[in-house]
Amino acid sequence: MEVLVIDAQGGGIGKQVITALKKKFSGLTVTAVGTNATATAAMLKAGADQAATGENPVKVCSRRADVIVGPVGIVIADALLGEITPAMAVAVGQSRAKRILIPVNHCDNFIAGVPDLSTARLIGSVVEEIGRLSGEEKGFHKSAE
């Protein structure tokens, strides 16, 4: 299963997602795309199998991914302090991939009805959903803990 993690600003959420996924699962290919070099470096350091930076990698990798993970702002043009371009939001939104959007209520976007959960709890939810989705994938299994 091909998982694309997209993050902006400092890449903190993407870093935590990648760390959790790599710890929990083997046989999972994780590509990280940051909207800037700092975000990309953080996600690469967390264990991404490959990484790139910028608008075109978001467009290209969104076409190839089975699952896209990131803060909800990755589907909103000009979100995350303007780091998400309209083309990035369209690429993620039009991808055939399953999207797992993390409801982070900041940067002028608020998701009504969603409690303000800790980042750890949100990342745990991402890991659970990837596990659920992976049950249908051959060659993907939980690592020994």
Side-chain angles (χ1 to χ4, degrees):
M1 178 160 40
E2 196 58 52
V3 176
L4 171 61
V5 179
I6 302 172
D7 203 2
Q9 299 174 323
I13 290 174
K15 178 180 179 179
Q16 291 178 63
V17 166
I18 291 167
T19 298
L21 290 176
K22 288 296 192 173
K23 181 179 178 183
K24 185 76 174 177
F25 303 108
S26 63
L28 180 69
T29 301
V30 178
T31 299
V33 177
T35 60
N36 61 65
T38 301
T40 303
M43 293 188 288
L44 196 54
K45 186 175 180 179
D49 297 296
Q50 53 193 355
T53 303
E55 180 179 271
N56 202 56
V58 169
K59 291 163 61 175
V60 171
C61 294
S62 291
R63 290 192 302 258
R64 298 177 179 167
D66 297 309
V67 178
I68 299 173
V69 180
V72 70
I74 65 174
V75 295
I76 302 169
D78 299 329
L80 301 171
L81 299 176
E83 291 190 33
I84 301 299
T85 67
M88 289 174 170
V90 167
V92 173
Q94 290 182 343
S95 174
R96 65 169 181 77
K98 171 83 171 183
R99 284 167 291 285
I100 301 174
L101 302 174
I102 301 167
V104 181
N105 287 327
H106 66 80
C107 294
D108 297 327
N109 293 301
F110 178 80
I111 303 164
V114 175
D116 194 17
L117 301 173
S118 70
T119 303
R121 189 130 179 229
L122 293 169
I123 301 303
S125 180
V126 170
V127 171
E128 288 175 20
E129 183 63 11
I130 295 284
R132 189 185 70 72
L133 291 171
S134 69
E136 302 165 9
E137 299 290 326
K138 288 184 177 181
F140 183 87
H141 56 280
K142 291 183 180 181
S143 62
E145 291 188 60

